[in-house]
Amino acid sequence: MQHKSDFFMFDIPNGRFMKQSKQHILSIAFSLFLHKCFKDVTLKEIVKETGLSKGAFYHHFTSKEQLFFEVVDTFYLQVMLVDYQKLNHNSLWDFYHDYISHIQNSIRDFRRGLNTSNSNSSIDINYITLMFDAMKLFPGFKEKLIVAQNDELNAWIKIVKISREKGEFSSPMTDEQIARMFVYSNDGIGLRLLIEGKLDNATAEMLTLWDNFYKEIKD
């Protein structure tokens, strides 16, 4: 009797199976870690849910810890990283509207990483739990997060400075203070709605708040 993985190997030539099976494991594991936590998810459960053999698992990952690291890197760290240079720098207004579009696309891509066969798949507070689990297990993860946060703040300070110099707005607030208003309100709204299970409302609420704040500093 052939395993499911044998059919994948037969149907997908030129080694594409290896790449797809790894992504399959990552996606299933991400859903499991998201709905439980690192400690509560067993290797046996991961192998069972993927429908692959234990040998197929060990072909890609040496341990549950390595799998978890790649899951967090793929579905957390890579999602939160933004190439701010690609955002519209014509104005602060263009920049934050472009940023909102990026966040909407990131949430959509994030959902694609969930196990779509699980009808209860959702983005909730366990997403934050993943981050703390990762910081406990991988000391370098916290440093990566700090670097990402500093890059984010510096990108906002840069666009605020550019926009002020263009005469787009006038405000007694410093460039850094204005930048922090955007960054911290983003963090706060995101966390609050994540806890409430209403993350889909985040971009709309952020855009409303940012449009009103922009009007205040512009008037």
Side-chain angles (χ1 to χ4, degrees):
M1 179 178 178
Q2 287 180 300
H3 294 288
K4 184 187 295 186
S5 59
D6 294 330
F7 286 107
F8 284 142
M9 182 70 81
F10 178 78
D11 293 335
I12 303 175
N14 301 323
R16 287 173 54 207
F17 162 72
M18 292 304 176
K19 181 179 180 180
Q20 292 198 6
S21 63
K22 181 174 183 178
Q23 288 304 120
H24 177 65
I25 295 171
L26 285 170
S27 295
I28 296 296
F30 174 55
S31 183
L32 291 171
F33 289 135
L34 190 63
H35 290 93
K36 294 185 178 182
C37 66
F38 172 78
K39 184 177 68 174
D40 291 341
V41 177
T42 66
L43 182 57
K44 182 179 179 180
E45 184 177 12
I46 294 169
V47 171
K48 177 183 176 182
E49 291 298 319
T50 60
L52 303 175
S53 66
K54 186 176 287 189
F57 173 87
Y58 282 114
H59 176 81
H60 297 290
F61 307 100
T62 59
S63 63
K64 189 178 80 167
E65 286 76 13
Q66 186 202 354
L67 170 62
F68 182 65
F69 177 82
E70 293 203 32
V71 163
V72 172
D73 186 67
T74 301
F75 296 110
Y76 190 97
L77 195 57
Q78 296 304 319
V79 168
M80 73 172 289
L81 292 179
V82 179
D83 187 349
Y84 295 98
Q85 293 302 317
K86 291 184 178 180
L87 298 182
N88 193 325
H89 281 66
N90 288 334
S91 67
L92 176 59
W93 190 93
D94 288 327
F95 183 89
Y96 76 74
H97 277 79
D98 209 10
Y99 179 85
I100 289 290
S101 295
H102 171 82
I103 294 299
Q104 290 171 334
N105 291 334
S106 293
I107 292 175
R108 181 200 63 209
D109 293 341
F110 183 96
R111 289 192 181 283
R112 288 177 180 172
L114 293 171
N115 179 12
T116 54
S117 65
N118 186 338
S119 60
N120 295 320
S121 289
S122 62
I123 305 173
D124 56 23
I125 193 60
N126 286 346
Y127 183 57
I128 302 299
T129 302
L130 282 183
M131 179 183 70
F132 286 107
D133 281 345
M135 285 194 288
K136 290 178 182 177
L137 287 167
F138 315 113
F141 183 74
K142 181 178 180 179
E143 282 66 34
K144 285 187 176 183
L145 288 179
I146 292 173
V147 169
Q149 289 177 336
N150 289 337
D151 288 345
E152 178 186 23
L153 180 59
N154 288 333
W156 281 95
I157 292 174
K158 179 180 178 181
I159 186 59
V160 171
K161 177 176 170 47
I162 291 172
S163 300
R164 190 195 295 271
E165 290 174 349
K166 287 182 176 181
E168 184 181 348
F169 64 88
S170 176
S171 171
M173 297 177 68
T174 67
D175 295 344
E176 183 171 341
Q177 286 172 337
I178 293 173
R180 288 184 183 276
M181 287 293 289
F182 280 98
V183 173
Y184 291 171
S185 59
N186 180 13
D187 293 343
I189 290 174
L191 178 58
R192 184 181 185 89
L193 294 182
L194 191 65
I195 292 173
E196 295 175 359
K198 300 177 181 177
L199 192 63
D200 288 337
N201 301 335
T203 53
E205 291 206 22
M206 277 191 287
L207 188 57
T208 298
L209 179 65
W210 287 355
D211 279 342
N212 288 327
F213 176 60
Y214 178 78
K215 183 179 179 181
E216 288 294 322
I217 63 175
K218 190 173 175 61
D219 290 345

